Structures are given as structure tokens and as C-alpha cells.
């Protein structure tokens, strides 16, 4: 009985395994059948399912959507741009093209600011190849019937000028670009000829082996499909089977050529051709008409001054009989230079793409000739050519450290300015910024005065090492003045006036201000002082509590001793008042930093004596004064300085300068006199000024 059960179980297991094998075979057959069908239309698959990193933006759209015709998902431009105004095209003006017409029914225009930018952050990051394609369709959206002209930049480089040939023309000159940073800025520049706008913006990551991008930026692309009978001559079409979502121009046939085609499956999957052209493009081709042995093309004369690169795409779609061979060579001419390829042969239904890694200058043309040993004429399925912006014509972006610093400053201080977007220096400097003209620009001036800034001075300012001028005046900045400002090696002017800063001014800034290497202003703030020596050190809360407790416990003792100590205290204070410097006068007292400000950092010397030098100064009410600064090396020293002050206090005469004020701050002492604009006594006695009347003064 057990043996029978085991045998029955084994038979059931064998039956199940056979059934699963049949299922697997059926799935495989269906899979191969779908693959064969899918080569034609990729089984209706969506492009986004096959190439990650697509960015598709319908500019001016109010919501995201799926384009049922192309199978591409589009996003509104919310989050990609912070400026601009949305507008719609009237239905009677719609572009009827099924492959991009839906994306041109609305747009975003930029009536404010000279530079407005979209910010793209592709998944692949920097140093990858990207196809970038903006769409522009005017459609008289503003009811003015005036076509604008404006410039398009990618990053810091000019790409082309958007200039329309008609009200109902769609422009989409795409480009192939390798960014040097993880963020790509696509910017519209107002050139003063109308309001810039954009209808759609697309980014497609490309395989790194595609196209000769070491030549520079490739733009103004032309992709010609030859031999096709689909669509109308001159139309653009996008194929779902194109994994890179390129737009192809239906060219039909070259001169003296005839179209050929096949319904066979092109072997795209098992091929090393990374260009991965759509099978629809490779199933059609052209070959010379009867009696001709070559294919040729020449660009219009309007392109004679450009630099070009070219790519050719082939697939042998004819079944050659045994022993027959198709062999040809390609000759490309740019101006007076001609490049000729080695002989080329094709394998049946296998794609072959050839891109010459060189620039052809001037008038562009090519000829494809059959070799003398070829049994058949040449064929050509498709070709592309691009205008090249050479590497040596490309600009470098602003120093990456400066960019990171200014972006952090923008975020930390919550700066909201419409033009503070994309690169801070190129092509247009942000408002309030000045950059140097080095190959890699750096920020040398930052003016954020009266910008309603709050918070503390950000530490990221320390990374702007080329900064020469910094103005943060008349904001609401708080906290202390950071020491790193004194460590900026090139800083020459610093203005912190009109803020809520407190604490002491770092010694480094004070020293630079004194030696004249820095023009430093922070205004007259009660919470700020020029050095740590003029700030009373705050007692710690714990010490204050202890003092209070001790004072409370000693109050009884103080009361008992009060009468005994009163007399002693009274006598001591009298002695202190008697011994204090007679230098304390009723005139206005100034601190040392005010003396520095009045004299513009002791800039102009107008006299010199045994006590020290005399400097020209200007008070806040624009009154000119003379400031005599006590010299540390003066032999007479403080006694003579004090004697002069006391003399001016008791002697008053219309021909004798009056004392305006004084500074008595530690070792820093100065007398501030009325300024005599007509010269001094020596000049009058020596005859330099004869217009003088002497009056005897009796002392």
C-alpha cells in the first residue's frame, strides 16, 4: 500500500512538471511574438518606462497629464521656475501637429526681469549627455500680433536667438549638452525686443557614447528620415519606439534618388549600435536613381558661415543574392576641407551609425559613392547634422565655491529677488553683485543695503575670498559681528551701519580700520563698542545671586556701621574729586571710534606739533573741525596736552579757536577744535595772507 501511494504521488508530480513546461513554452512563444510585434511599435509602451530621467514640462499648464498620442507624461512647471505669468492660446490658433501640438496650447511669459530661468535637476547629474529641447509657439497669445525676439541660454552659454518667421510657427531647435554641474539652468534673456516666453521644455538623457560632444555643444539639429511615405514632406515626427525621443524631419528623397523600404524586422535589440534609431526610420532608405551611382546633399547658402558635425545611419534592407556586395565611401566637405571615409559595407538588417569626430567649417555637403568593386549602389536611411559651438567659445560658470556661498546667503537671509536665479555672474550679474572678469568669475562686491534682512550675519560670507566691498547696512541683522570678516583677505570696505548688532567689534577689524586697510562703518549703536576694553563684562547670574544673598545678610551690619563710615566716605570722595583729571570739561565727549569716523580714518593731516598730528574732520552736521591726536611718542605727553585743553577752556576770543569736544578713552586722547579755513597764524605772519588785523589780547 505505501508503495502504491508513492507511485501515485510521483505520477502526479510528473504530470504537474509537464504542465508547467507547456506553460513556459507558451509564454516564450507569446513573448517572442510580442517582441516581433513590439519592434514595430514597441507594443505601445511609454517612453518613460524605458529611459529613466526624462523631464517633460508643459510650461503654463495647471496640472500634470499623460499625452495619449506620444505616451509621454508631462508636468506643470510649478517647482521648475519661480517667475512669469501663465497664458493660453485661443483654440483657433492651436498647432495641429499631433506630436507636440498639445504642449503649445499654453505658455509662460516673463514680463518682469531681464533673465528668467528654469531649474532642471536630472537624475544622472553632471558630466552626462543630455538632449534639451524647448518649444516656442506665439499663437498671438497677447492679442498684439507682435512677435518677440529674445535669447536662449543654457547655463552660462548663449545657444541661439528665438526669432519667429510667422505668428503660427513653432520653434524647437534642440541641443545636445554636457553640463559641468548637477543643475542645468535654461534661461530666457530679454533683449529689449518683446517679452520672452516658452511653451514646453524637455530633457532626455543620452548614452555617453553618443555624438562627438568633445567638439562642444551641438545645437540647431537636423535629423532627416529618407525614403519614408509616412507624413508630409517637411513635417516633424516623433516615434514611440525612439528610446531617446528625438524629433525626425521627413525629408523624403535626396536629389537623383529613389526610395526603398522593407517590412522585415530590424535587429535593434542584438546590435551594438548605441544610437538605437527607431525601426521605422531604418525600414526606409534611398538609393541612386537609375543611371546614377552616388547620393549627395548640400546645405542652403544661409548656413555657409557655420561649424557643423554630421552623423550617418544605415541598415541593409535589401536581401542581397549570393556573392553580391554593397560597398561605398563617404566624402564630407566643409568649406575647402574634404574628409573621406574608409570603404563601408553593411550586414543585412543590422543598423550602423557613423559620426565623424570633427568640425566642418563653412559650406557643408557630402557625397556617398559606390566603390569600384561594389555590385550595388550606395544607400542611406537617415542622417543628422548639428551646428557646433566649439569648446573654446564656451564660457565657464562662476567659481563653484562662490556659487555655493551666495546660494547659502540667499537661503539663510531669505533674500527674494526675481533676478537672483541661475549663475550669479554670467551672463547677467545678480542685482547687488559685481564679479571680476576672470576666466572663472568670482564675486568681488556684495551690496545688500536696505534689503530687510533679519537674523545673524551668515558664516558662508567667509567663503567669498575675493570680496572687496560688503554693504549690509540698514537692515535688521542681530547678534555679534563675526571675527571671520576680518579674515577676508581682500575686503576693503565694510558697512554694518543701521542694524541691531551687539557686543564688541573684533580686534582684527579695529586694527584694519586704524591702519587704513579697511573703511569700516557700523554707526553709533549703544550695544556696540570698538574693542573689548570698552565693554563692561556682564556678571554671571550665579554670581549676582550670591552677591544679593550676601548683601541681604549684611544689611544689619551695614546699618550699624553707617554712621561711623559716613564721615570717612565723605572725606575720601572729596580727595578723589580733587585728584581727578581737570581734563573733564563741559564740552561734548566723543569716543575713539567717532574720532576715527569724523577724520575718515585720520585721512587728511593739516598740521603737526610736539603733542601730535592735527587732522581734518567733518561732523554729522557737515561742520569742519580740526582733530589733534595725542601721540604716544610725544615727549611733553599728557601734561602739555591737558594744559592746552585747560587754556582753551578759560580763554575765549574771536581770533582764538574754540574747543568743540574731546576724546579721553584709555591711551586714545584727542582735542576737537573749530577749523580755521583761512590758514594758521604762521601763514599770516610769514606774509602768505596779508588780509589780517591784529588785536592785542590781555591775559
Amino acid at each position: 500500500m505505501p508503495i502504491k501511494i508513492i507511485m501515485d504521488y510521483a505520477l502526479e508530480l510528473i504530470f504537474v512538471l509537464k504542465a508547467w513546461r507547456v506553460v513556459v513554452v507558451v509564454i516564450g512563444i507569446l513573448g517572442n511574438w510580442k517582441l516581433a510585434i513590439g519592434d514595430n511599435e514597441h507594443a505601445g509602451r511609454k517612453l518613460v518606462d524605458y529611459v529613466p530621467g526624462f523631464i517633460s514640462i508643459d510650461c503654463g499648464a495647471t496640472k500634470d497629464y499623460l499625452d495619449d498620442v506620444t505616451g509621454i507624461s508631462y508636468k506643470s512647471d510649478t517647482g521648475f521656475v519661480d517667475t512669469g505669468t501663465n497664458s493660453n492660446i485661443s483654440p483657433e490658433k492651436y498647432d495641429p501637429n499631433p506630436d507636440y501640438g498639445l504642449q503649445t496650447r499654453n505658455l509662460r511669459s516673463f514680463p518682469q526681469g531681464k533673465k528668467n530661468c528654469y531649474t532642471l535637476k536630472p537624475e544622472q547629474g553632471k558630466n552626462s549627455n543630455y538632449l534639451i529641447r524647448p518649444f516656442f509657439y506665439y499663437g498671438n497669445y497677447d492679442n498684439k500680433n507682435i512677435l518677440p525676439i529674445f535669447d536662449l541660454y543654457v547655463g552660462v552659454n548663449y545657444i541661439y536667438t528665438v526669432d519667429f518667421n510667422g505668428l503660427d510657427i513653432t520653434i524647437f531647435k534642440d541641443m545636445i549638452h554636457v553640463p559641468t554641474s548637477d543643475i542645468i539652468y535654461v534661461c530666457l534673456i530679454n533683449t529689449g525686443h518683446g517679452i520672452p516666453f516658452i511653451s514646453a521644455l524637455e530633457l532626455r538623457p543620452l548614452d555617453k557614447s553618443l555624438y562627438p560632444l568633445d567638439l562642444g555643444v551641438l545645437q540647431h539639429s537636423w535629423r532627416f528620415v529618407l525614403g519614408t511615405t509616412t507624413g508630409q514632406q517637411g513635417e516633424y515626427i516623433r516615434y514611440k519606439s525612439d528610446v531617446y525621443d528625438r524629433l525626425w524631419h521627413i525629408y523624403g528623397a535626396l536629389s537623383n534618388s529613389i526610395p526603398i523600404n522593407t517590412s522585415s524586422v530590424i535587429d535593434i535589440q542584438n546590435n551594438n549600435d548605441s544610437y538605437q534609431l527607431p525601426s521605422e526610420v531604418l525600414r526606409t532608405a534611398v538609393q541612386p536613381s537609375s543611371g546614377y551611382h552616388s547620393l549627395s546633399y548640400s546645405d542652403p547658402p544661409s548656413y555657409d558661415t557655420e561649424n557643423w558635425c554630421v552623423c550617418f545611419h544605415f541598415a541593409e534592407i535589401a536581401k542581397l543574392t549570393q556573392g553580391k556586395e554593397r560597398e561605398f565611401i563617404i566624402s564630407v566637405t566643409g568649406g575647402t576641407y574634404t574628409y573621406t571615409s574608409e570603404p563601408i559595407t553593411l550586414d543585412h538588417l543590422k543598423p550602423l551609425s557613423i559620426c565623424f569626430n570633427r568640425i566642418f567649417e563653412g559650406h557643408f555637403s557630402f557625397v556617398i559613392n559606390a566603390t569600384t568593386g561594389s555590385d550595388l549602389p550606395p544607400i542611406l536611411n537617415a542622417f543628422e547634422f548639428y551646428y557646433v559651438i566649439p569648446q573654446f567659445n564656451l564660457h565657464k560658470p562662476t567659481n563653484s565655491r562662490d556659487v555655493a556661498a551666495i546660494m547659502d546667503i540667499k537661503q539663510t537671509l531669505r533674500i527674494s529677488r526675481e533676478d537672483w536665479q541661475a549663475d550669479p555672474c554670467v551672463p547677467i550679474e545678480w542685482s547687488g553683485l559685481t564679479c571680476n572678469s576672470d576666466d572663472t568669475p568670482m564675486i568681488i562686491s556684495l551690496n545688500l543695503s536696505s534689503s530687510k534682512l533679519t537674523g545673524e550675519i551668515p558664516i558662508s560670507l567667509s567663503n567669498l575670498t575675493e570680496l572687496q566691498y560688503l554693504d549690509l547696512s540698514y537692515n535688521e541683522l542681530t547678534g555679534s559681528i563675526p571675527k571671520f570678516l576680518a579674515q577676508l583677505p581682500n575686503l576693503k570696505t565694510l558697512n554694518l551701519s543701521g542694524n541691531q548688532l551687539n557686543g564688541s567689534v573684533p580686534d582684527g577689524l579695529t586694527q584694519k580700520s586704524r591702519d587704513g586697510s579697511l573703511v569700516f562703518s557700523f554707526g553709533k549703536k549703544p550695544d556696540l563698542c570698538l574693542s573689548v576694553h570698552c565693554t563692561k563684562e556682564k556678571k554671571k547670574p550665579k554670581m549676582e545671586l550670591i552677591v544679593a544673598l550676601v548683601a541681604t545678610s549684611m544689611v544689619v551690619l551695614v546699618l550699624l556701621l553707617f554712621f561711623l563710615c559716613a564721615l570717612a566716605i565723605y572725606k575720601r570722595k572729596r580727595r578723589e574729586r580733587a585728584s581727578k583729571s581737570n581734563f573733564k570739561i563741559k564740552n561734548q565727549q566723543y569716543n575713539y571710534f567717532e574720532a576715527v569716523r569724523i577724520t575718515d580714518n585720520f585721512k587728511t593731516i593739516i598740521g603737526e606739533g610736539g603733542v601730535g598730528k592735527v587732522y581734518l574732520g567733518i561732523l554729522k552736521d557737515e561742520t569742519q573741525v580740526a582733530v589733534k591726536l595725542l601721540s604716544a611718542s610725544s615727549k611733553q605727553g599728557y601734561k602739555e596736552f591737558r594744559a592746552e585743553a585747560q587754556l582753551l577752556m578759560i580763554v575765549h576770543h574771536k581770533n582764538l579757536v574754540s574747543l568743540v569736544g574731546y576724546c579721553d578713552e584709555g591711551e586714545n586722547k584727542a582735542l576737537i577744535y573749530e577749523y580755521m579755513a583761512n590758514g594758521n597764524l604762521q601763514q599770516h605772519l610769514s606774509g602768505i595772507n596779508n588780509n589780517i588785523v591784529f588785536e592785542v589780547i590781555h591775559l
Side-chain angles (χ1 to χ4, degrees), residues 341-398:
S341 71
E342 297 292 327
I344 299 168
T345 57
L346 305 175
D347 295 327
H348 186 231
L349 301 179
K350 289 186 178 295
L352 174 65
S353 295
I354 298 175
C355 288
F356 296 128
N357 191 19
R358 62 187 66 241
I359 293 177
F360 298 94
E361 299 180 6
H363 184 78
F364 168 79
S365 63
F366 67 79
V367 177
I368 304 177
N369 287 298
T371 63
T372 55
S374 177
D375 301 301
L376 296 169
I379 65 170
L380 179 61
N381 304 73
F383 69 98
E384 307 174 63
F385 63 89
Y386 296 85
Y387 168 57
V388 182
I389 305 177
Q391 288 286 358
F392 56 80
N393 284 342
L394 298 177
H395 297 286
K396 292 183 179 179
T398 302

Side-chain angles (χ1 to χ4, degrees), residues 582-590 614 619 623-629 641-664 669-676:
N582 292 325
F583 184 60
K584 301 296 182 181
I585 59 179
K586 294 181 181 180
N587 300 69
Q588 182 176 351
Q589 182 175 359
Y590 294 83
V614 183
L619 299 180
T623 300
Q624 289 185 315
V625 294
V627 180
K628 177 179 287 187
L629 183 66
F641 196 80
R642 183 178 62 186
E644 183 175 353
Q646 292 173 339
L647 179 63
L648 289 174
M649 289 173 57
I650 62 176
V651 178
H652 302 278
H653 191 269
K654 65 179 181 180
N655 291 328
L656 186 65
V657 293
S658 60
L659 187 63
V660 176
Y662 70 98
C663 172
D664 187 10
K669 302 183 187 298
L671 295 177
I672 302 175
Y673 303 94
E674 176 187 7
Y675 176 66
M676 304 303 292

Side-chain angles (χ1 to χ4, degrees), residues 405-421:
I406 199 66
M407 288 297 186
D408 182 78
I409 292 168
K410 175 184 176 182
Q411 181 179 3
T412 302
L413 297 179
R414 295 181 290 277
I415 299 173
S416 179
R417 296 185 179 182
E418 287 191 346
D419 66 331
W420 275 45
Q421 50 184 313

Side-chain angles (χ1 to χ4, degrees), residues 3 50 100 102 107 133 201 210 278 405 454 467 471 484 490 500 601:
I3 296 176
Y50 282 83
Y100 53 77
L102 182 60
L107 56 84
R133 181 168 52 229
L201 179 60
L210 298 186
T454 60
L467 198 63
D471 190 349
F484 67 74
N490 297 292
Q500 306 300 320
N601 200 21

Side-chain angles (χ1 to χ4, degrees), residues 20 54 63 87 100 112 140 222 271 291 310 344 412 443 525 539 559 601 653 670 683:
W20 272 109
F54 273 28
K63 61 181 180 180
S87 298
Y100 53 77
Q112 303 297 325
N140 195 27
W222 292 90
N271 187 69
V310 61
I344 299 168
T412 302
I443 299 170
K525 294 292 298 178
K539 296 181 179 180
L559 289 174
N601 200 21
H653 191 269
Q683 293 172 332

Side-chain angles (χ1 to χ4, degrees), residues 597-613:
R597 180 182 57 78
I598 289 171
T599 60
D600 193 15
N601 200 21
F602 303 108
K603 180 178 180 181
T604 305
I605 300 175
I606 58 175
E608 185 173 3
V611 174
K613 295 180 180 179

Side-chain angles (χ1 to χ4, degrees), residues 164-378:
F164 297 87
N165 294 324
L167 295 174
D168 302 323
I169 301 297
T170 299
I171 295 178
F172 50 88
K173 298 175 182 178
D174 59 18
M175 71 213 72
I176 301 177
H177 176 58
V178 181
T180 57
S181 65
D182 293 329
I183 299 176
I184 300 174
Y185 297 106
V186 179
C187 301
L188 307 179
I189 307 298
N190 190 327
T191 58
H193 299 91
I195 297 174
F197 72 88
I198 185 170
S199 303
L201 179 60
E202 299 173 345
L203 178 142
R204 308 293 184 244
L206 304 175
D207 188 279
K208 289 194 174 186
S209 63
L210 298 186
Y211 302 106
L213 288 170
D214 53 332
L215 299 178
V217 175
L218 309 184
Q219 56 113 332
H220 282 203
S221 63
W222 292 90
R223 301 183 189 91
F224 294 108
V225 182
L226 301 176
T228 183
T229 57
T230 303
Q232 297 182 358
Q233 180 83 4
E235 281 188 348
Y236 286 87
I237 188 170
R238 94 202 300 166
Y239 300 99
K240 283 188 175 182
S241 58
D242 189 344
V243 296
Y244 297 124
D245 188 32
R246 289 160 288 200
L247 278 169
W248 296 87
H249 185 74
I250 298 175
Y251 197 70
L254 301 175
S255 59
N256 300 317
S257 69
I258 57 173
I260 59 175
N261 63 76
T262 183
S263 59
S264 301
V265 175
I266 304 296
D267 187 8
I268 297 176
Q269 303 296 328
N270 301 315
N271 187 69
N272 293 327
D273 185 10
S274 57
Y275 285 85
Q276 299 187 60
L277 264 65
S279 57
E280 294 91 336
V281 173
L282 295 173
R283 285 198 186 104
T284 64
V286 293
Q287 67 180 22
S289 304
S290 178
Y292 293 90
H293 302 282
S294 64
L295 298 170
S296 62
Y297 171 86
S298 179
D299 68 11
S302 58
Y303 295 118
D304 283 358
T305 60
E306 310 292 2
N307 300 317
W308 302 98
C309 72
V310 61
C311 295
F312 299 93
H313 304 290
F314 304 95
E316 180 58 81
I317 58 178
K319 184 65 175 177
L320 304 184
T321 58
Q322 187 73 24
K324 296 290 185 180
E325 184 181 49
R326 190 193 306 272
E327 186 180 62
F328 52 86
I329 58 174
I330 305 172
S331 296
V332 181
T333 300
T336 59
Y337 172 76
T338 299
Y339 174 79
T340 302
S341 71
E342 297 292 327
I344 299 168
T345 57
L346 305 175
D347 295 327
H348 186 231
L349 301 179
K350 289 186 178 295
L352 174 65
S353 295
I354 298 175
C355 288
F356 296 128
N357 191 19
R358 62 187 66 241
I359 293 177
F360 298 94
E361 299 180 6
H363 184 78
F364 168 79
S365 63
F366 67 79
V367 177
I368 304 177
N369 287 298
T371 63
T372 55
S374 177
D375 301 301
L376 296 169

